Amino acid sequence: MSKPDISANLAGITSPNPFWLASGPPTNSAYQVRRAFEAGWGGVVWKTISHEPIVNVYSRYGAVDYDGRKVMGFNNIELITDRTLEENLREIAEIKQEFPDHAVVVSLMVETNRESWHDIVKRVEDTGCDGLELNFGCPHGMSERGMGSAVGQVPEYTEMVTAWVKEIARTPVLIKLTPNIADIRFIGRAAKQGGADALCLINTINSVMGVDLETLMPKPHVAGRGSHGGYCGPAVKPIALNMVHQLAADPQVGLPISGVGGIQAWQDAVEFMLLGASNVQVCTAAMHYGFRIVEHFISGLQSWMQGRGFERLSDFVGHSVPAIGEWAELDLGYKVVAEIDQTKCINCGLCYIACEDGAHQSIDISRLGEDEYADRLTAADIGNGRGDGHDSAIQISGGKRVIAGAGDGYVNIYTIRQETCVGCNLCSLVCPVDECIAMVPAESEIPSMTWREYQDRLSRGEIEPIQPPSHV
């Protein structure tokens, strides 16, 4: 099979691949954008420009590290461009001439009046750019001045400003949405009413990164004072996926979507596209790993598409949207229970503690002498066709037998009490050994039906109330 076609089209804006750099520090200048395109990025959204350059502060970023991994979450209090409008316009025009086949979209944020928006739209489109992205999403600094998320949190403002821009825009208009809102669908519908050509989400989430326990000052701080900032990075991906899906599934929206939020691997990008995004935008990962991360995105996407038999992006964009819906649509008769592969178990007890303290008390613990344990495990290993002991908890080191989890001559054995297991997944999630705990289908005493169907059948007297499970 030849390489799949990964060219992308978002509301008429085409690019060689679906990977765009999002508006932010990596798209601040022609120097950066040129290097990004040379590295392989398909498009960029130029860092938000306005009529006048703003004044930024020193000390702008903060991060959350977790369990040895750097920058799981990222926070910034940096504002929009601090470069002049004229300098930005000149460089945008230069870049578009140099890279005519790449997408160059410009992020905009100005005062909330028709004249200001008309003026900047005309001047920006004269650069030859491919589209406009209206920044209704930034939660810090500019929102205090009535811009950014101050617009994007009010459906009437979103519709009004979008309509102003659409009065004169000659290129597609994207609306970048804020996640700092109760229901993203209302803002998406307002943008649609205003005439938007596409939506982009999510922008950053309002956040305070933390407090230094030595200095007692906020992180980051500016001369001892902090401010709420925009949170992004891998930690926000589930939130972004939910909101992208909400808009992709909403029949009142029906607009192309550019997905943003926590993308740092090609797999993340594919998930966004499966849930309805036509392309994706990346910022934090490029700031962390550099522009060449796009090489991994491209090769990974192409390999995955080849393996699945997809020839173009449209073969799978939105594929998984129908699979997500309301809780009331889930099947009450579907049942899975946990099952531990004793030949892979290292007897650490994490599953037992998690189930006993944090879930539904459905794992039993028993003790075996080391010799009896070794005999049973060896027999099970042979029964599974392996017989080499390499996957077992028994190893030989320095000529001595070493059994994982052994102590005082005994080994703790953990087994699932499947009659009380509710299939919550917690044991399999905390287990440190891949494929040691599986969630397997089980026969259910409840017939296949949704909660709504259950309510209907109850009201008609066709079924008895489902009895609650027993607990300790």
Side-chain angles (χ1 to χ4, degrees), residues 38-341:
E38 290 171 350
W41 291 89
V44 300
V45 181
W46 204 273
K47 184 175 171 69
T48 305
I49 64 175
S50 192
H51 281 110
E52 298 293 335
I54 55 83
V55 178
N56 261 311
V57 294
Y58 284 80
S59 188
R60 305 174 185 180
Y61 306 145
V64 173
D65 302 337
Y66 182 74
D67 201 20
R69 182 169 181 173
K70 301 290 287 185
V71 196
M72 277 298 294
F74 188 77
N75 166 287
N76 85 90
I77 58 172
E78 182 172 306
L79 303 183
I80 61 176
T81 185
D82 52 11
R83 306 167 71 225
T84 67
L85 177 62
E86 291 72 21
E87 189 177 15
N88 276 302
L89 296 180
R90 175 177 55 76
E91 291 191 0
I92 293 167
E94 291 174 359
I95 287 292
K96 189 57 200 173
Q97 287 183 346
E98 285 183 53
F99 299 91
D101 297 330
H102 290 63
V104 179
V105 174
V106 183
S107 176
L108 306 177
M109 183 191 292
V110 297
E111 297 175 52
T112 307
N113 64 70
R114 177 185 272 113
E115 293 73 23
S116 293
W117 279 103
H118 280 193
D119 178 72
I120 199 159
V121 167
K122 291 176 182 174
R123 297 172 72 177
V124 169
E125 287 193 326
D126 285 345
T127 64
C129 69
D130 298 296
L132 309 172
E133 183 178 276
L134 311 190
N135 184 342
F136 295 167
C138 276
H140 54 280
M142 305 309 290
S143 59
E144 299 165 9
R145 308 172 196 182
M147 294 180 269
S149 63
V151 176
Q153 290 173 320
V154 183
E156 292 80 5
Y157 292 171
T158 298
E159 179 179 345
M160 177 181 69
V161 177
T162 303
W164 289 344
V165 171
K166 286 296 293 182
E167 287 172 352
I168 61 166
R170 292 173 278 119
T171 61
V173 175
L174 287 60
I175 308 300
K176 190 161 189 178
L177 304 181
T178 175
N180 301 298
I181 193 166
D183 192 330
I184 196 77
R185 291 172 293 188
F186 290 95
I187 299 299
R189 293 166 188 168
K192 171 74 175 295
Q193 289 296 318
D197 297 291
L199 302 175
C200 172
L201 68 154
I202 60 172
N203 207 308
T204 54
I205 301 170
N206 246 329
S207 58
V208 170
M209 287 306 283
V211 178
D212 188 307
L213 299 186
E214 295 297 323
T215 65
L216 309 188
M217 289 192 290
K219 300 188 292 187
H221 72 88
V222 178
R225 290 188 61 82
S227 178
H228 65 97
Y231 191 56
C232 52
V236 310
K237 191 186 83 171
I239 300 169
L241 286 175
N242 176 55
M243 291 186 169
V244 165
H245 174 266
Q246 282 187 298
L247 293 179
D250 189 339
Q252 297 184 49
V253 175
L255 292 174
I257 295 171
S258 185
V260 193
I263 297 167
Q264 63 167 3
W266 68 265
Q267 294 95 331
D268 301 326
V270 170
E271 289 181 71
F272 272 85
M273 289 190 278
L274 286 169
L275 292 182
S278 299
N279 73 359
V280 295
Q281 298 183 25
V282 178
C283 183
T284 307
M287 295 175 72
H288 191 175
Y289 301 109
F291 290 146
R292 289 191 62 183
I293 193 175
V294 74
E295 296 174 8
H296 155 77
F297 289 173
I298 293 171
S299 62
L301 174 62
Q302 288 176 327
S303 178
W304 178 79
M305 289 177 64
Q306 282 182 310
R308 304 287 302 192
F310 295 136
E311 297 179 353
R312 58 193 66 81
L313 301 182
S314 59
D315 288 346
F316 67 91
V317 166
H319 176 87
S320 300
V321 172
I324 298 176
E326 296 181 8
W327 192 97
E329 299 170 350
L330 301 179
D331 186 353
L332 299 179
Y334 175 76
K335 183 176 181 179
V336 292
V337 295
E339 192 170 88
I340 299 175
D341 183 344

Side-chain angles (χ1 to χ4, degrees), residues 338 356 360-364 415-422 472:
E356 195 71 7
H360 299 87
Q361 301 81 47
S362 295
I363 297 181
D364 290 324
T415 53
I416 303 295
R417 198 180 319 123
Q418 294 189 335
E419 62 272 22
T420 59
C421 175
V422 301
V472 174

Side-chain angles (χ1 to χ4, degrees), residues 447-461:
S448 176
M449 60 182 171
T450 67
W451 180 82
R452 288 198 177 94
E453 292 168 339
Y454 173 50
Q455 297 304 303
D456 289 342
R457 296 179 68 176
L458 272 178
S459 66
R460 293 195 298 267

Side-chain angles (χ1 to χ4, degrees), residues 324-403:
I324 298 176
E326 296 181 8
W327 192 97
E329 299 170 350
L330 301 179
D331 186 353
L332 299 179
Y334 175 76
K335 183 176 181 179
V336 292
V337 295
E339 192 170 88
I340 299 175
D341 183 344
Q342 297 295 342
T343 66
K344 294 182 177 178
C345 180
I346 59 173
N347 315 304
C348 65
L350 284 175
C351 61
Y352 175 78
I353 294 299
C355 185
E356 195 71 7
D357 293 357
H360 299 87
Q361 301 81 47
S362 295
I363 297 181
D364 290 324
I365 181 172
S366 58
R367 301 183 80 190
L368 283 180
E370 290 190 14
D371 290 340
E372 184 180 1
Y373 172 77
D375 290 343
R376 286 193 184 187
L377 197 61
T378 301
D381 209 14
I382 293 172
N384 285 336
R386 290 190 291 269
D388 55 9
H390 290 165
D391 295 324
S392 75
I394 301 176
Q395 302 293 329
I396 303 299
S397 177
K400 295 182 178 180
R401 184 180 65 184
V402 178
I403 300 178

